Amino acid sequence: MKFSSPVSNSKVEITDKFWKDKTELVRTEVIPYQWKALNNEIPGAEASFCIRNFRLAAEVLEKRRKGMATLIFPTNKWHYSYKNEHPDSFFGWVFQDSDLAKWIEAVSYSLQNTADKALERLADSAIDLICRAQAENGYINSFYTINNPEKAFTNLRDHHELYCFGHLAEAAAAYYNATGKDKLLKAVCRFADYIGQVFGENGLKGYDGHEIAEMALVKLYEATGNKEYLKTAKRFIDRRGTKPYYFDIEHGENSGDALKYFYNQAHLPVREQTEAVGHAVRAVYLYSGMADTAIYSDDCELFEVCKKLFDDIRQRKMYITGGIGSTSDGEAFTLAYDLPNDLAYAETCASIGLVFFAQRMLKADFNSKYADVMERCLYNGILSGMAEDGKSFFYVNPLEVNPEACRKDSRKRHIKPVRQKWFDCACCPPNLARLFSDYGGYCFTETENTLFVNLYQSCTVETDKADIKIASDYLQSGIVKFCIKAKKPFTIAFRIPYWSIHFKFSRKNPFIRNGYAYFDINGSEEITAEFNPEAKIIKCCSEVRENIGRVAVARGPFIYCLEEKDNGKNLHLLRLAKNPKFQFDGESITANGYRENINKDALYSEYSNASETLVKLRFIPYYQWANRSENEMCVYIRY
Ligand code: FUB
Ligand code: ZN
């Protein structure tokens, strides 16, 4: 299979105001805040105990090495509250270790962007701690190490051991790539070797209940060249969903019930799966691992499965914001076209996982639809996950909110009308931190001869083909200038964004294929791309019942929304005027519309035409909502 590779974040310097601001917020706000959270230093926030757990695991291992007695605790729960447990027990969620791994990964990319010796020293000390918590056989997991090592790998379905391993492996590869230091990488490779034995041909036939190990093993393979890691990833993938179900065996059951395992995408062998199902984060992490494994092992059949799954999400199960997983029940996908606005789950992590999946698909299928999805998620359903000051976060990203309903209707309890400082289950903010710090790593992909430009922002990029300086006004005028200093003849391929029907390049006659415009470059030259980010009305496919008779407003990559702050209460009363004239002030959009006058007399009355008042509607980019305190919000408006 012919495939491309992403150009590393270390080769891309983001100079763009919009994206530099975000990566700087992560560096200056999120990463230090998260370190405090890991150390229980945030007053008023639920304590994490993450660092404390690693310290305790290291102490326990030391005692066992010295032949000293240590206590054993239960391992049958998901969460261990310090309020109820023995003081020497593990505390927190069974996957608490992953928070430190994500922090190290975010720090790694951040160090590629901005050298920071003090931060690097802190990360080194965290890595020393993790290595002290590694058992003789290579195993690293503070939960089982503390509570009962005998029980390791006995509950893959629920207990996230391979998930924590996966995050650690991603952190190790990232830290090695960023700093050249291999202490964590070596430790994690020992762990991966142990996993390879435990789950080898003659070992346990299991696989992870919360996927990520697959794509993480591929990252270890990329970092070390050791094919065993790729083999282990493939083994996990090929075993998933085969009968008898491993999770049945593990739990002494004989259910054979596929329905039970949709949640873990383990209801069918993966090659027979055609629909995205179950827990959305797990799903897209699995599909990312499948795509990577398919690419590196030249498994076209597996890659075709990934294509189907990607299209199922993109065409039937993705919100206009790039949110996925439309129900809070299992944080999961439901059925095709079931995209309720006010009940949406759309976890920040799930859209981040969709970006991972899209980026991997892009490697071997040179089609703009993947980068279009990346862009949709990045500018909308992911960016909304972080406040504009980087100090609070959304876990859930709904498309319509009435704050009172979130308090009074238990079906909407998962929806928060304002961003939270931190979360008891703190998966999303660290995920955001690692993605945004690595933003540069998503902009370009390359084969031997072709450089693909997937995202547009001001930056410089250095490759063996050329050094390129990009001056981007993508979000305002849509004009992007490329100053290319070629080192050898090559082809440059520009993605034509899905929203830009009209586009122009200063060089004539591009070869257009699958949403990319290709030009051969033979020397240094300047090329200007002109896209057309004018405001537009977007219709949702009629099969989405919630949006019949309603439209959304978009401009360039941004989806817009209405907020009560600008448009008054009861946003459902608003209607966009026919063929509205949009006015763009550099950020918000105004348009003519109507507000239906409320008839307060009766709940029901004989039909008569509604009376309406002419109003000016103000739309802001969706990602900005809830930055001016609690209020109503909606993306879709009657039309
Ligand atoms: O289970 C670990 C993480 O916590 C998942 O990825 C998120 O969806 C949240 O449930
Ligand atoms: Zn999350």
Side-chain angles (χ1 to χ4, degrees), residues 78 95 160 163 210 279 281-282 331 347 349 395 425 427:
W78 263 47
F95 50 87
H160 292 60
Y163 169 85
H210 190 315
H279 184 270
V281 181
R282 294 174 200 234
E331 309 180 302
E347 181 180 341
C349 285
Y395 188 122
C425 167
C427 52

Side-chain angles (χ1 to χ4, degrees), residues 255-392:
S255 78
D257 180 2
L259 266 184
K260 280 180 72 174
Y261 302 123
F262 272 80
Y263 176 74
N264 311 85
Q265 301 74 40
H267 55 300
L268 272 179
V270 298
R271 286 165 206 272
E272 293 169 33
Q273 298 192 19
T274 52
E275 265 206 66
V277 299
H279 184 270
V281 181
R282 294 174 200 234
V284 281
Y285 281 12
L286 168 67
Y287 308 151
S288 304
M290 282 162 56
D292 256 349
T293 305
I295 290 168
Y296 285 120
S297 49
D298 204 20
D299 188 338
C300 297
E301 181 192 61
L302 188 60
F303 197 73
E304 285 303 312
V305 173
C306 296
K307 281 188 184 171
K308 269 201 198 109
L309 292 167
F310 190 88
D311 283 341
D312 180 51
I313 296 176
R314 185 177 73 92
Q315 294 174 319
R316 289 177 282 271
K317 294 180 180 155
M318 181 181 74
Y319 284 98
I320 192 169
T321 53
I324 53 169
S326 53
T327 177
S328 65
D329 182 11
E331 309 180 302
F333 288 107
T334 58
L335 57 154
Y337 307 110
D338 178 38
L339 295 167
N341 297 310
D342 60 344
L343 290 168
Y345 201 73
E347 181 180 341
T348 307
C349 285
S351 295
I352 291 173
L354 183 54
V355 169
F356 297 158
F357 183 26
Q359 189 204 30
R360 280 153 182 85
M361 294 307 293
L362 194 56
K363 284 189 197 173
D365 188 7
F366 308 140
N367 189 312
S368 63
K369 64 184 175 183
Y370 303 110
D372 283 344
V373 165
M374 280 189 344
E375 181 180 88
R376 188 186 284 281
C377 296
L378 281 164
Y379 281 90
N380 301 289
I382 296 178
L383 209 44
S384 58
M386 182 169 85
E388 293 212 280
D389 62 3
K391 291 184 199 273
S392 57

Side-chain angles (χ1 to χ4, degrees), residues 88 97 109 176 180 229 245 311 395 572:
D88 291 343
D97 286 6
Y109 305 129
Y176 171 68
Y229 302 141
Y245 291 129
D311 283 341
Y395 188 122
H572 68 281

Side-chain angles (χ1 to χ4, degrees), residues 567-627:
N567 301 286
K569 260 195 157 335
N570 291 322
L571 296 175
H572 68 281
L573 297 173
L574 299 175
R575 172 168 80 83
L576 188 60
K578 205 162 178 214
N579 304 321
K581 289 222 172 352
F582 290 120
Q583 275 174 335
F584 176 61
D585 68 4
E587 197 155 67
S588 67
I589 292 173
T590 45
N592 284 341
Y594 299 90
R595 169 176 280 273
E596 182 163 329
N597 300 321
I598 295 184
N599 165 10
K600 286 231 162 138
D601 300 341
L603 186 54
Y604 305 106
S605 52
E606 194 177 330
Y607 181 82
S608 64
N609 282 340
S611 75
E612 293 180 316
T613 309
L614 193 63
V615 291
K616 265 265 177 279
L617 302 168
R618 179 165 188 258
F619 297 83
I620 59 165
Y622 168 75
Y623 82 88
Q624 290 180 352
W625 89 273
N627 271 290

